[in-house]
Coordinates of all heavy atoms in Angstrom, one line a residue:
R4 N 101.0 127.4 89.5 CA 101.3 127.3 88.1 C 101.6 125.8 87.8 O 102.4 125.2 88.5 CB 102.5 128.1 87.7 CG 102.7 128.3 86.3 CD 102.6 129.8 85.9 NE 102.6 129.8 84.5 CZ 103.3 130.6 83.8 NH1 104.1 131.5 84.3 NH2 103.2 130.6 82.5
D14 N 110.9 113.6 74.9 CA 110.9 112.2 74.7 C 110.2 111.7 73.4 O 110.2 110.6 73.1 CB 110.4 111.4 75.9 CG 109.0 111.9 76.3 OD1 108.5 112.9 75.7 OD2 108.4 111.2 77.1
D16 N 110.2 113.9 70.4 CA 110.8 114.4 69.2 C 112.0 115.2 69.6 O 112.5 115.1 70.7 CB 109.8 115.3 68.4 CG 109.2 116.4 69.2 OD1 110.0 117.0 70.1 OD2 108.1 116.8 69.1
E23 N 110.6 128.9 79.0 CA 109.6 129.1 80.1 C 109.4 127.8 80.9 O 109.3 127.8 82.1 CB 108.2 129.4 79.4 CG 107.1 129.6 80.5 CD 105.8 129.9 79.9 OE1 105.6 129.8 78.6 OE2 104.9 130.1 80.7
Y28 N 110.4 124.8 85.9 CA 111.1 123.6 86.5 C 112.0 124.1 87.6 O 111.9 123.6 88.8 CB 111.8 122.8 85.5 CG 112.5 121.6 86.0 CD1 111.8 120.4 86.1 CD2 113.8 121.6 86.5 CE1 112.4 119.2 86.6 CE2 114.4 120.5 87.0 CZ 113.7 119.3 87.0 OH 114.3 118.1 87.5
H31 N 109.8 125.6 90.6 CA 108.9 124.8 91.4 C 109.5 123.5 92.0 O 109.1 123.1 93.0 CB 107.7 124.4 90.5 CG 106.8 125.6 90.3 ND1 105.9 126.1 91.2 CD2 106.7 126.3 89.1 CE1 105.3 127.1 90.7 NE2 105.7 127.3 89.4
M32 N 110.5 123.0 91.3 CA 111.0 121.7 91.8 C 111.6 121.7 93.2 O 111.4 120.8 94.0 CB 112.0 121.1 90.8 CG 111.4 120.5 89.6 SD 110.1 119.3 89.9 CE 111.2 117.9 90.2
A42 N 106.7 115.4 103.9 CA 105.8 114.3 104.0 C 106.4 113.0 104.4 O 105.9 112.2 105.2 CB 105.1 114.1 102.6
G46 N 105.8 110.7 107.7 CA 105.2 109.4 107.4 C 103.9 109.4 106.6 O 103.1 108.5 106.6
A50 N 100.7 111.9 100.8 CA 101.3 113.2 100.4 C 102.6 113.0 99.6 O 102.8 113.7 98.7 CB 101.6 114.1 101.7
C55 N 105.1 113.2 94.3 CA 105.7 112.4 93.2 C 104.9 112.6 91.9 O 105.5 112.7 90.8 CB 105.8 110.9 93.6 SG 107.0 110.6 94.8
H56 N 103.6 112.6 92.0 CA 102.7 112.8 90.9 C 103.0 114.2 90.2 O 103.1 114.3 89.0 CB 101.3 112.7 91.3 CG 100.3 113.0 90.2 ND1 100.1 112.1 89.1 CD2 99.5 114.1 89.9 CE1 99.2 112.6 88.3 NE2 98.9 113.8 88.8
L74 N 109.9 108.1 90.2 CA 108.7 108.7 90.8 C 107.5 107.8 90.5 O 106.6 107.7 91.3 CB 108.5 110.1 90.2 CG 109.5 111.2 90.6 CD1 109.4 112.4 89.7 CD2 109.3 111.6 92.0
E75 N 107.4 107.3 89.3 CA 106.3 106.4 89.0 C 106.4 105.1 89.8 O 105.3 104.6 90.2 CB 106.3 106.1 87.5 CG 106.0 107.3 86.6 CD 106.2 107.1 85.1 OE1 106.9 106.1 84.7 OE2 105.7 107.9 84.3
C91 N 113.3 108.0 97.6 CA 113.1 109.5 97.7 C 114.5 110.2 97.7 O 114.7 111.2 97.1 CB 112.3 109.8 99.0 SG 110.6 109.4 98.8
E95 N 115.7 113.0 95.1 CA 116.3 114.2 95.5 C 117.6 114.5 94.9 O 117.9 115.6 94.4 CB 116.3 114.3 97.1 CG 116.8 115.6 97.6 CD 116.9 115.6 99.1 OE1 116.8 114.6 99.8 OE2 117.2 116.7 99.6
M103 N 121.2 121.9 89.2 CA 122.6 122.4 89.1 C 122.9 122.6 87.6 O 123.5 123.6 87.2 CB 123.6 121.5 89.8 CG 125.0 122.0 89.8 SD 126.1 120.8 90.6 CE 126.1 119.5 89.4
L104 N 122.6 121.6 86.8 CA 122.9 121.7 85.4 C 122.1 122.8 84.7 O 122.6 123.4 83.8 CB 122.6 120.4 84.7 CG 123.5 119.2 85.1 CD1 123.0 117.9 84.5 CD2 124.9 119.5 84.6
G106 N 121.4 125.6 86.1 CA 121.8 126.9 86.6 C 121.1 127.4 87.9 O 121.1 128.6 88.1

Side-chain angles (χ1 to χ4, degrees):
R4 192 122 190 226
D14 59 347
D16 57 39
E23 180 182 6
Y28 182 88
H31 292 283
M32 287 303 284
C55 289
H56 176 74
L74 293 166
E75 289 170 346
C91 289
E95 182 181 8
M103 183 181 68
L104 291 173

